[in-house]
Amino acid sequence: MHPLPSCPSCRQPMEAHRFTSNQGHALELDICFACQGLWFDRHENLKLAPQSVVELFRLLHEHRTDQHQPLAERMACPRCNTSLAKGFDVVRSGRDMIFRCARLPGRFSTF
């Protein structure tokens, strides 16, 4: 378990939520409900077990009415404070915008 990182956008502490990986291990995701963002450390986005994906969506749905704020123009990695670079992942439905750390393997995605 790592210390709670600051949200790359609003810089407030993110909430850590535990899920199960597709190999049965515990996996901790950092979530900022105010910015509607998820921080994924190295390949965590690929390691969630199917049931954990359902649990994650249920959690996000529970916070759908929370007050939301716009993303900051400049964001920083919650692990090393390096500026995040805007990028895209190609998915079946099109392209998803993500923000990657150039120094450490991590990414911030909105939901």
Side-chain angles (χ1 to χ4, degrees), residues 20-23 46-57:
T20 303
S21 76
N22 51 20
Q23 295 179 344
L46 303 174
K47 294 179 182 177
L48 283 171
Q51 183 56 39
S52 291
V53 172
V54 172
E55 290 173 28
L56 175 59
F57 283 132

Side-chain angles (χ1 to χ4, degrees), residues 18-32:
R18 294 191 98 161
F19 298 95
T20 303
S21 76
N22 51 20
Q23 295 179 344
H25 305 304
L27 185 69
E28 198 169 85
L29 297 183
D30 304 303
I31 303 173
C32 179

Side-chain angles (χ1 to χ4, degrees), residues 2-69:
H2 47 72
L4 286 178
S6 296
C7 172
S9 182
C10 71
R11 308 307 294 161
Q12 296 300 309
M14 297 179 85
E15 292 183 22
H17 291 270
R18 294 191 98 161
F19 298 95
T20 303
S21 76
N22 51 20
Q23 295 179 344
H25 305 304
L27 185 69
E28 198 169 85
L29 297 183
D30 304 303
I31 303 173
C32 179
F33 293 107
C35 292
Q36 294 187 309
L38 297 144
W39 177 258
F40 294 103
D41 287 312
R42 185 181 190 105
H43 304 299
E44 283 180 330
N45 58 313
L46 303 174
K47 294 179 182 177
L48 283 171
Q51 183 56 39
S52 291
V53 172
V54 172
E55 290 173 28
L56 175 59
F57 283 132
R58 186 177 301 126
L59 177 64
L60 299 179
H61 183 73
E62 288 172 7
H63 289 270
R64 73 189 177 283
T65 59
D66 290 5
Q67 183 175 354
H68 301 135
Q69 52 192 356

